[in-house]
Amino acid sequence: MSFYQSALDIAAESRDAPDSIPARTSAILSALDGLGRRLSATRFLDEDFSLSQAETQATETDRSAPLFGVPLAHKELYGRLTPAGPWPDEGGSSSCEGQTAHQTAFAISQLDKAGSIDCGRLVSVEYALGVTGHNEFAGTPKNPWNPDYICGGSSSGSGSVVAAGIVPGALGSDTGGSIRLPAAACGLVGIKPTYGVVSRSGVFPLSHSLDTVGPLSRSVADGAAILQAITGFDATDSCSLEVPAEDYSRNLDKGVADLSIGLCEDYFLTGSDTDMADMTADSFALCQTLGAKGRAVKLSNIDIINPLNVLMIATEAAQIHRTVACDKGHMLNDQTLMRILAGAFTTAEDYHVLQQSRARAIAAVMEEVFDKVDILMTPVWPFALPTIEASDVGATPDAAPLMQRIGHNTRPVNFLGLPSVCLPTGWDKNGLPVSVQLIGKPYSETTLLQAAAALEREYRFWDRTPDLDKI
Amino acid sequence: MTDKIFIPPLEMAVLAETGIPDSQIELARATSDELRGILSTQKKKPSGPSVHELFSGYAKQHGIKLEISE
């Protein structure tokens, strides 16, 4: 089996030779069982189910599905029912050990319809509540670019397995940066869609109004294709919205000459280490070289958004998980327990004020930024990736304040409900990937992907792959 | 979550019976106080449409833009 094939190439190959689908699926399951477990990234495999999906696809006469025969694996928060029974739904936590899915997640059903093969589940941080990727119970995934370093979280297994080239893409979930942080740490494209675009039904919940679902992939085109497949209105998710259908891939070749891109020095650049800020400024300059209009922008009250997002996550997590936290607190990681409990003191009045503050912040950013530019460019990680050891808050409590900074550039995007695409643009001082984040106005995923594709052609990040012999 | 019933805050007395160490409860309480202190600066500001209403409106605007561009 050839690693590092794109989803679109696999789909084309599957259409030409459907007999190849079961063999490819079998090889990928072996790799997930071998390399995936050595990376501490594989959580659950169901060979019988995945191979039966592959066999069904191999005999399918209609091969027009966009992800026909494409093997994907996903963060363990995605529910799946099979004829043999439900898959585990443990939220990466010993407190939920033995719990199984109640339904197949809407996004997973959409991928089934798009012809994809579901190859299993990948490690998540406990309750998706952490940004480093550490998980004492399910395992701490290693970064394929250097296994001493973290993958970021909470979609850590998704980042690890896609960066290792085993599958071309994986779904993650993002409440404060949990798609973008691992995508950036692992040199991948990460897409956090606009509020309401992708249903979260059947996904282990953390924060009702902030959780978003999206893909990690090795290319912009693959990410666009996976996003295309999972979108759609779902009445069972009260945040789902009827958004007009559009082709997210339609402008991938268009370049950036018709776009205006903003850089916000306050907060995003000043809150990131100099090397991260400089690399973002370099990407901003590159966009201008490619014909985009560049413009400095300012955001008032941005400083307050980060702590309000932390309170929103804690409050909504406590609404969902506080019974477990009280009954099985001893089974939760100290950080998880503390963050859930911190939300359990929020009053209904506080929560109302929080929601109103969020709405005001959204209206303000539309006026201050997106009336002026199409895209806001920021760093993703505010500093160079730490090692697994240095960022283990359980073993090194002094690391906690530093870890709080990790979501500095990503959390505000969730609070604002905006779409965001991150992609790799270079390397940090330790040889690990560095990415930029492109943030857009609501429902501007097509525009963000257009700009991301233009940058991708310049950086040609995909010419390099990790040395997997080290794993 | 506006359409869901909001569960009232946990009483300290209830928490004390859970067996969770006092130090962790205190840390959570202090974190909550700090964050809600920041939130308190947002009280008494004018109310407007909800987040969901805002995004419903943006979705409609986006649909109109798409139709025009086609």
Side-chain angles (χ1 to χ4, degrees):
Chain A
M1 180 195 116
S2 143
F3 276 16
Y4 295 106
Q5 260 189 304
S6 80
L8 297 178
D9 284 349
I10 293 174
E13 203 173 283
S14 298
R15 285 185 199 104
D16 287 344
D19 289 350
S20 66
I21 299 172
R24 183 185 301 105
T25 302
S26 183
I28 281 168
L29 291 168
S30 294
L32 285 167
D33 201 24
L35 177 60
R37 291 198 193 280
R38 291 202 298 283
L39 286 163
S40 304
T42 299
R43 187 81 167 100
F44 175 76
L45 300 174
D46 181 345
E47 192 175 345
D48 289 346
F49 176 77
S50 302
L51 287 176
S52 88
Q53 265 199 328
E55 294 288 353
T56 303
Q57 291 292 69
T59 56
E60 181 62 67
T61 49
D62 178 1
R63 300 172 194 167
S64 62
L67 296 172
F68 183 69
V70 175
L72 300 173
H74 309 291
K75 189 175 188 177
E76 64 180 289
L77 308 187
Y78 287 82
R80 159 74 79 185
L81 304 182
T82 77
W87 283 6
D89 183 32
E90 298 178 341
S93 176
S94 63
S95 68
C96 300
E97 198 166 6
Q99 187 171 297
T100 54
H102 296 295
Q103 67 175 97
T104 297
F106 179 87
I108 297 295
S109 296
Q110 293 289 87
L111 288 172
D112 288 347
K113 287 179 202 161
S116 165
I117 311 295
D118 191 343
C119 291
R121 293 294 172 266
L122 307 168
V123 168
S124 164
V125 172
E126 183 175 59
Y127 285 25
L129 202 48
V131 288
T132 60
H134 288 80
N135 187 325
E136 288 169 33
F137 170 66
T140 301
K142 296 171 184 144
N143 193 317
W145 293 99
N146 184 332
D148 291 337
Y149 284 79
I150 60 170
C151 289
S154 62
S155 309
S156 43
S158 301
S160 183
V161 159
V162 178
I166 301 175
V167 286
L171 293 182
S173 65
D174 193 317
T175 309
S178 288
I179 289 171
R180 292 158 288 158
L181 290 165
C186 296
L188 304 171
V189 173
I191 305 175
K192 179 226 165 280
T194 310
Y195 172 97
V197 165
V198 185
S199 166
R200 296 85 43 85
S201 286
V203 182
F204 190 98
L206 172 60
S207 171
H208 172 79
S209 71
L210 295 171
D211 288 344
T212 42
V213 162
L216 297 86
S217 61
R218 283 194 307 277
S219 73
V220 174
D222 279 0
I226 296 170
L227 177 66
Q228 192 77 52
I230 61 176
T231 53
F233 177 68
D234 173 20
T236 66
D237 178 349
S238 64
C239 291
S240 183
L241 284 166
E242 296 207 51
V243 182
E246 62 179 305
D247 176 2
Y248 293 122
S249 303
R250 71 178 190 273
N251 290 342
L252 295 185
D253 297 327
K254 203 173 169 188
V256 292
D258 65 334
L259 299 178
S260 55
I261 300 181
L263 195 65
C264 180
E265 188 157 350
D266 293 343
Y267 185 86
F268 289 108
L269 297 195
T270 56
S272 302
D273 285 358
T274 310
D275 47 354
M276 299 292 143
D278 288 348
M279 289 182 75
T280 303
D282 289 346
S283 296
F284 179 66
L286 175 60
C287 285
Q288 290 173 281
T289 307
L290 296 173
K293 287 191 191 78
R295 183 168 178 174
V297 293
K298 282 196 182 294
L299 258 166
S300 59
N301 286 327
I302 181 74
D303 287 325
I304 205 171
I305 288 178
N306 203 339
L308 293 188
N309 198 62
V310 172
L311 181 59
M312 181 81 88
I313 294 173
T315 300
E316 294 189 344
Q319 291 283 311
I320 299 164
H321 298 302
R322 67 194 240 179
T323 304
V324 175
C326 289
D327 294 349
K328 298 182 180 178
H330 61 286
M331 300 176 86
L332 293 175
N333 174 293
D334 285 352
Q335 291 288 316
T336 311
L337 178 60
M338 197 282 285
R339 291 183 66 183
I340 292 173
L341 289 183
F345 304 108
T346 306
T347 65
E349 188 199 351
D350 289 336
Y351 186 65
H352 177 72
V353 175
L354 200 47
Q355 288 287 7
Q356 282 294 315
S357 304
R358 188 180 179 200
R360 275 196 305 275
I362 292 162
V365 80
M366 291 297 285
E367 192 180 323
E368 292 175 351
V369 176
F370 295 112
D371 277 356
K372 299 179 176 75
V373 295
D374 299 305
I375 292 170
L376 176 65
M377 182 182 282
T378 78
V380 181
W381 283 77
F383 47 76
L385 276 191
T387 62
I388 291 174
E389 190 182 354
S391 56
D392 184 354
V393 178
T396 318
D398 292 348
L402 190 67
M403 296 310 108
Q404 281 297 320
R405 265 187 75 204
I406 291 177
H408 180 85
N409 297 321
T410 52
R411 280 195 199 109
V413 182
N414 297 77
F415 196 72
L416 297 167
L418 301 173
S420 163
V421 175
C422 69
L423 79 157
T425 56
W427 306 91
D428 71 15
K429 58 190 177 188
N430 302 314
L432 277 299
V434 173
S435 291
V436 293
Q437 172 172 234
L438 307 174
I439 306 166
K441 63 185 84 171
Y443 313 111
S444 66
E445 282 83 351
T446 303
T447 304
L448 296 178
L449 292 164
Q450 172 187 340
L455 283 171
E456 181 183 54
R457 285 192 288 275
E458 295 298 315
Y459 286 113
R460 300 187 58 81
F461 201 83
W462 324 121
D463 289 347
R464 289 174 69 172
T465 53
D467 178 5
L468 298 175
D469 293 338
K470 286 184 186 170
I471 311 296
Chain B
M1 191 174 284
T2 46
D3 59 344
K4 292 182 190 261
I5 297 165
F6 190 88
I7 307 168
L10 265 179
E11 302 280 341
M12 288 299 271
V14 173
L15 262 177
E17 288 172 10
T18 60
I20 296 170
D22 289 349
S23 58
Q24 273 189 297
I25 295 172
E26 280 311 313
L27 182 60
R29 179 87 216 192
T31 304
S32 169
D33 287 349
E34 184 188 337
L35 293 171
R36 288 188 302 126
I38 295 168
L39 178 67
S40 67
T41 64
Q42 301 299 298
K43 287 182 180 171
K44 296 180 183 167
K45 290 199 174 177
S47 291
S50 71
V51 170
H52 199 76
E53 285 164 348
L54 276 176
F55 277 89
S56 298
Y58 297 144
K60 280 186 190 138
Q61 286 170 19
H62 181 64
I64 293 166
K65 243 177 81 178
L66 274 180
E67 269 181 32
I68 292 168
S69 69
E70 281 163 10

